[in-house]
Amino acid sequence: MLLSIDFENLHQILHTLYQEMMPLCSNLTGVAKGIAGLGALFYVAAKVWQALARAEPIDVYPLLRPFAVGLCIMFFPTFVLGTINTVLSPVVKGCHGMLETQTFDMNKYREQKDRLEYEANKRNPETAYLVDKEEFDKKLDELGWSAGDLITMGGMYIDRAEYRMKQNIRRWFQELLELLFQSAGLVIDTIRTFFLIVLSILGPIAFAISVYDGFQSTLTQWITRYISVYMWLPVSDLFSSVLARIQVLMLTKDIEAMSDPTFIPDSSNTVYMVFLIIGIFGYFTIPTVANWIIMAGGVSGANRAMNTTAAKAGNVAAAGAGAAVGNVAGKLIK
């Protein structure tokens, strides 16, 4: 089975990896304190010298900035990372709760649709023997051993084998698209975890450099980049929730149609596969959407590179998906 991989477990492993790597930022605290201390010395000396040279009173308030940054460096894992993660954690949990609700509804409606589809095919005399073994054996028992009956019997075996082969092809292609869909989400989560680990470990150095004149924007840039990357996960869950909701609406419409006894179901699931392909491409727009929430200029280059790579990979995937769907559709029409 293509979907034998437990993707939820892989996402949990990435979350655990981030939690275990966060304390490593304390290893750079000593270096950062040295850089920040030297920068604070130059910063305070320059401000005091300027005030004395101009015979102006010394403004103490701006001189407190390097000391505040120094306190952030000393307690970086708890004071900086802990505060940001605590504030943003409810957003992540809320979006993930929406995803779990929509996924549960989708699975419930999918099981109901499969059951109604099986019953509809079983009611139809032309397809009953294809989906039900008992109906197939019953139809065989009604035939005799004449030449015409033997030809009919052989045709029934061929039709049943062809039907099962088509179902296996559709199921395999659907599982392949679902695997690619889940893999796209795992790629986004892996890159997000890598970015967060790098920002967390090197965060004290960024704070220390921000003490120097001309590098003050490093502090705000680090905060905006960290928050922007952190928001990738809730945006990803919202995107998955939207796709799940669309599938629920489609399943609800199919279930309502199947309530009509004369309705002949279409088991190709072509629309569902199309939305899976859309979802695969849509996952790579998540960094751009997260960047709309809080602007992080330093991540835009990574976003462009990711979108370019996704576009190139998407062309290949779209060509393969189109060929496969066309092949299946051609067989159905034939």
Side-chain angles (χ1 to χ4, degrees):
M1 296 292 293
L2 292 176
L3 293 180
S4 60
I5 303 175
D6 188 0
F7 283 93
E8 187 64 28
N9 187 30
L10 294 178
H11 287 286
Q12 188 63 33
I13 290 175
L14 291 175
H15 179 71
T16 304
L17 173 64
Y18 171 72
Q19 295 295 334
E20 293 180 352
M21 295 290 288
M22 273 182 56
L24 295 180
C25 62
S26 60
N27 297 335
L28 296 178
T29 301
V31 179
K33 285 192 295 185
I35 298 175
L38 187 62
L41 178 62
F42 291 154
Y43 181 83
V44 173
K47 295 296 182 182
V48 172
W49 180 80
Q50 289 178 3
L52 295 177
R54 296 171 182 172
E56 297 175 350
I58 299 175
D59 190 1
V60 181
Y61 183 76
L63 302 180
L64 298 178
R65 182 178 182 275
F67 297 100
V69 174
L71 289 176
C72 293
I73 294 174
M74 293 177 61
F75 305 100
F76 191 82
T78 56
F79 187 73
V80 178
L81 296 180
T83 301
I84 297 177
N85 294 343
T86 302
V87 172
L88 297 180
S89 179
V91 179
V92 176
K93 292 180 180 179
C95 294
H96 190 68
M98 294 174 57
L99 175 61
E100 289 181 347
T101 302
Q102 296 299 328
T103 303
F104 175 78
D105 293 341
M106 180 183 64
N107 294 332
K108 180 181 66 176
Y109 284 115
R110 185 179 296 175
E111 293 176 358
Q112 184 177 359
K113 179 195 172 185
D114 292 340
R115 184 177 66 256
L116 293 175
E117 183 178 343
Y118 173 78
E119 295 175 355
N121 286 324
K122 191 175 180 180
R123 288 195 306 265
N124 188 4
E126 297 180 358
T127 59
Y129 73 97
L130 297 177
V131 299
D132 187 72
K133 185 67 167 58
E134 295 181 358
E135 293 291 336
F136 181 75
D137 295 336
K138 182 180 179 181
K139 197 168 184 179
L140 288 178
D141 294 337
E142 296 176 354
L143 298 175
W145 295 99
S146 63
D149 292 337
L150 292 177
I151 294 175
T152 303
M153 188 181 302
M156 289 175 57
Y157 276 104
I158 294 175
D159 291 341
R160 182 174 172 82
E162 184 178 359
Y163 176 81
R164 297 182 64 180
M165 182 182 67
K166 289 179 180 179
Q167 292 296 321
N168 291 332
I169 292 175
R170 295 192 192 102
R171 190 177 300 110
W172 178 85
F173 185 65
Q174 178 177 335
E175 290 181 356
L176 176 62
L177 289 179
E178 290 178 352
L179 176 64
L180 294 176
F181 179 78
Q182 297 289 345
S183 300
L186 186 62
V187 168
I188 292 296
D189 198 5
T190 303
I191 297 176
R192 170 185 177 270
T193 304
F194 169 71
F195 283 178
L196 290 179
I197 289 175
V198 172
L199 289 172
S200 299
I201 294 178
L202 299 180
I205 302 297
F207 274 59
I209 294 176
S210 67
V211 175
Y212 293 85
D213 278 337
F215 296 95
Q216 289 88 348
S217 61
T218 304
L219 178 62
T220 56
Q221 285 294 319
W222 183 92
I223 295 175
T224 55
R225 290 169 188 170
Y226 186 90
I227 296 176
S228 177
V229 174
Y230 197 94
M231 294 298 292
W232 287 13
L233 184 58
V235 172
S236 175
D237 289 341
L238 285 177
F239 179 71
S240 300
S241 300
V242 172
L243 292 179
R245 186 59 185 172
I246 293 175
Q247 295 175 27
V248 168
L249 294 176
M250 291 190 302
L251 291 173
T252 305
K253 184 178 179 181
D254 292 339
I255 291 172
E256 292 177 355
M258 289 180 185
S259 60
D260 185 3
T262 61
F263 177 75
I264 299 177
D266 179 16
S267 59
S268 61
N269 293 329
T270 305
V271 179
Y272 173 68
M273 297 180 184
V274 169
F275 275 104
L276 283 177
I277 297 175
I278 295 173
I280 293 171
F281 298 144
Y283 261 119
F284 294 99
T285 64
I286 289 173
T288 302
V289 177
N291 201 29
W292 293 347
I293 301 174
I294 179 169
M295 295 300 296
V299 190
S300 60
N303 292 346
R304 286 194 298 269
M306 186 180 298
N307 292 335
T308 303
T309 304
K312 293 180 181 178
N315 293 333
V316 179
V325 173
N327 188 16
V328 173
K331 291 182 178 179
L332 292 175
I333 295 175
K334 182 179 179 181

